[in-house]
Amino acid sequence: MTSVTATKRSGPDDPHGGRSGRDGHGGQGGRPRRSWRPGPSGPPPRGKAFGDRAAWFLVLPALIPILVLSVGPLLYGIALAFTDAQSGRTRSTQWIGTLNFQDLLHDTLFWDSFRIGLVWAVGVTVPQFLLALGLALLLNQNLRLRWLARALAIVPWAMPEVVVGIMWRLVYNPDAGILNETIRDLGLGDGRDWLTGLATALPAVILVGIWAGMPQTTVALLAGLQNTPRELHEAAALDGAGAWRRFRTVTWPAIKPIALAISALNLIWNFNSFALVYVLTSGGPGGRTRLPMLFAYEEAFRYGQFGYAAAMGCVMVAVISVLLAFYLVGRLRGGEDR
């Protein structure tokens, strides 16, 4: 009787009970049930931490020159814009707040140079892109001596801007320049002084800018064209699509990201141009080709107004930052649409 009662009192909760099985605590094959809860996250593995440190160590040789030669001078120039720093002064530089920017708002010469800079940047970038696109489409065809044409197309890109400026000064020379000699030989007149005329100086400089910058745009677009699958063009041709329709539906969507990127970079580079225009005209005649960079250079190194020139640089940095912001927003939206 006692043994029966003891057996009945034995149950699943009795540590000494005789129940066995997969869910029990006793018996052969018994295994306690576990609750799978995530534990606290521990430190990252040693290998991953070492890999992160190694990555930073590899980046430092490229990061240090950027910080020292780009970010450092940029921050110093921004700070200098709020001072009255001048050359040849014996007294210490004083902090004047936003006075330089207030004077800049009423400086009509600077805003004229800013307008000229925008005309120059757009006037170079747009024709440069259109001509480079046509040249890239031509060089993408199966032509004889195509390798030679591609090599010659990048020659202007390999030449320094100072050399390009000197060469084109000889072309535009009013007495013995190739351009005026050709005009005389064709009986179209006696030629003119292209770089000193008030009406012709800026167009002549824009033409040089287009010629000098077109090769890099051509190379970028040609790379995009070569990455476009030929099967798409063949399929469109079989469907009866003409050349323009194949370009609009196949070629342009493939090279559009590259076209937008190189156009944005060209616009920024052209707006910041200095050496080419300085060698050609030095900002003349009468300030007709005085770009913002030339104006800031004159204020700093001809008139010694370092603080005022730094304020001009800050305005130009702000404009370029806005252009970059529009470009990046467009790129992000384009990525979301895809």
Side-chain angles (χ1 to χ4, degrees):
M1 189 72 175
T2 306
S3 60
V4 174
T5 306
T7 304
K8 290 182 179 180
R9 289 177 181 177
S10 301
D13 297 331
D14 189 358
H16 300 288
R19 185 175 180 178
S20 62
R22 296 177 59 89
D23 298 333
H25 295 275
Q28 187 177 359
R31 185 172 182 176
R33 180 179 297 175
R34 299 179 59 183
S35 60
W36 295 94
R37 297 178 182 177
S41 59
R46 179 178 297 181
K48 184 177 183 302
F50 177 77
D52 293 342
R53 288 194 297 268
W56 278 108
F57 180 77
L58 294 174
V59 169
L60 280 179
L63 186 61
I64 291 176
I66 293 175
L67 294 175
V68 174
L69 301 177
S70 297
V71 178
L74 175 63
L75 296 178
Y76 179 73
I78 293 174
L80 201 66
F82 296 92
T83 67
D84 61 348
Q86 297 181 13
S87 64
R89 296 182 60 179
T90 56
R91 69 180 183 87
S92 60
T93 300
Q94 302 295 323
W95 182 270
I96 60 174
T98 60
L99 185 60
N100 286 328
F101 295 95
Q102 295 175 15
D103 294 340
L104 198 61
L105 288 175
H106 303 89
D107 192 342
T108 56
L109 292 178
F110 172 74
W111 294 112
D112 285 341
S113 71
F114 200 88
R115 177 185 57 81
I116 294 171
L118 291 177
V119 172
W120 152 266
V122 176
V124 172
T125 302
V126 175
Q128 187 180 91
F129 173 78
L130 296 177
L131 293 174
L133 179 59
L135 183 58
L137 290 172
L138 180 62
L139 295 178
N140 195 42
Q141 303 298 319
N142 292 322
L143 304 175
R144 294 183 61 184
L145 300 178
R146 183 175 60 175
W147 62 271
L148 180 60
R150 289 180 177 179
L152 293 176
I154 64 174
V155 168
W157 191 17
M159 299 173 63
E161 288 187 331
V162 174
V163 176
V164 172
I166 294 174
M167 182 184 70
W168 277 89
R169 280 181 66 93
L170 296 176
V171 172
Y172 286 135
N173 188 280
D175 298 324
I178 299 175
L179 181 58
N180 281 342
E181 288 292 334
T182 303
I183 291 175
R184 296 188 189 100
D185 293 340
L186 294 176
L188 300 177
D190 295 332
R192 59 193 309 172
D193 196 347
W194 300 94
L195 295 178
T196 59
L198 296 178
T200 60
L202 185 58
V205 173
I206 287 176
L207 179 62
V208 179
I210 294 171
W211 181 85
M214 193 173 66
Q216 62 184 358
T217 308
T218 302
V219 171
L221 295 176
L222 183 58
L225 291 173
Q226 290 179 338
N227 288 329
T228 305
R230 292 189 176 274
E231 293 80 5
L232 297 178
H233 290 278
E234 295 173 357
L238 291 176
D239 290 339
W244 169 247
R245 187 176 178 183
R246 290 200 304 270
F247 173 80
R248 184 170 53 87
T249 58
V250 178
T251 304
W252 177 248
I255 66 172
K256 183 178 178 181
I258 298 176
L260 294 178
I262 195 65
S263 298
L265 292 176
N266 284 338
L267 186 65
I268 294 171
W269 287 333
N270 292 325
F271 185 78
N272 288 330
S273 293
F274 173 80
L276 183 62
V277 181
Y278 183 79
V279 174
L280 285 170
T281 62
S282 298
R288 290 295 194 277
T289 59
R290 185 187 289 130
L291 304 182
M293 284 295 178
L294 285 172
F295 194 87
Y297 170 82
E298 291 178 352
E299 287 293 325
F301 299 103
R302 179 175 294 181
Y303 305 112
Q305 301 294 330
F306 293 138
Y308 193 55
M312 295 180 187
C314 289
V315 173
M316 287 182 280
V317 168
V319 172
I320 293 171
S321 300
V322 171
L323 294 176
L324 281 176
F326 278 114
Y327 167 69
L328 292 176
V329 168
R331 290 288 294 166
L332 292 175
R333 288 180 178 176
E336 291 176 356
D337 293 339
R338 290 192 296 270

